[in-house]
Amino acid sequence: MEEIVENECLFQEALNGWVQNHDKEFSDKMWFCIYECCKNMMKSKANGIIVPDLESKAMDATIKIMDKILNHDVRPKKLSSYCYLWCIGELYNKKNKQWERAA
């Protein structure tokens, strides 16, 4: 639980830094925090279930979230709340499921 709070604080600091001066250092920190949040959230959702390419699904969600933050001026107030639907979308995407079944 402490790691989640620490990750949230790091993300909010990086987001504030990004808003002030759009430095790549802050976007890299945000990327790491978002990826860790998505990966942990997907692992908790898939508890006891084998999910193919869980890390790549977390990466896909991270890419979409970073796009919203960097290009569409989205400012999440709480990282886990914002990431939740993106993670669910990647885990239960119908097109991905059909692709995985065919492989």
Side-chain angles (χ1 to χ4, degrees):
M1 187 68 161
E2 188 176 308
E3 295 169 359
I4 295 169
V5 173
E6 185 178 328
N7 193 42
E8 178 70 34
C9 289
L10 287 172
F11 172 76
Q12 292 300 334
E13 289 173 9
L15 179 62
N16 290 335
W18 170 258
V19 169
Q20 290 176 358
N21 49 356
H22 295 292
D23 189 6
K24 184 176 177 354
E25 173 189 349
F26 295 116
S27 67
D28 291 345
K29 287 180 183 178
M30 283 192 298
W31 178 274
F32 176 76
C33 293
I34 292 169
Y35 177 70
E36 286 300 312
C37 179
C38 290
K39 186 172 67 171
N40 290 335
M41 193 173 294
M42 288 183 180
K43 283 182 180 178
S44 70
K45 282 289 182 193
N47 188 15
I49 302 169
I50 296 173
V51 176
D53 298 327
L54 186 123
E55 285 83 14
S56 67
K57 289 179 182 185
M59 186 65 70
D60 290 343
T62 302
I63 291 168
K64 292 174 182 176
I65 293 166
M66 283 297 290
D67 176 59
K68 290 293 182 184
I69 292 171
L70 300 180
N71 299 324
H72 301 283
D73 292 328
V74 172
R75 305 291 178 248
K77 292 181 179 152
K78 187 171 181 192
L79 182 60
S80 60
S81 298
Y82 189 75
C83 292
Y84 180 77
L85 288 178
W86 293 101
C87 291
I88 296 299
E90 288 300 318
L91 278 176
Y92 302 114
N93 185 322
K94 288 183 180 181
K95 289 182 181 177
N96 287 346
K97 283 186 176 185
Q98 289 174 348
W99 184 258
E100 289 168 358
R101 285 185 193 135

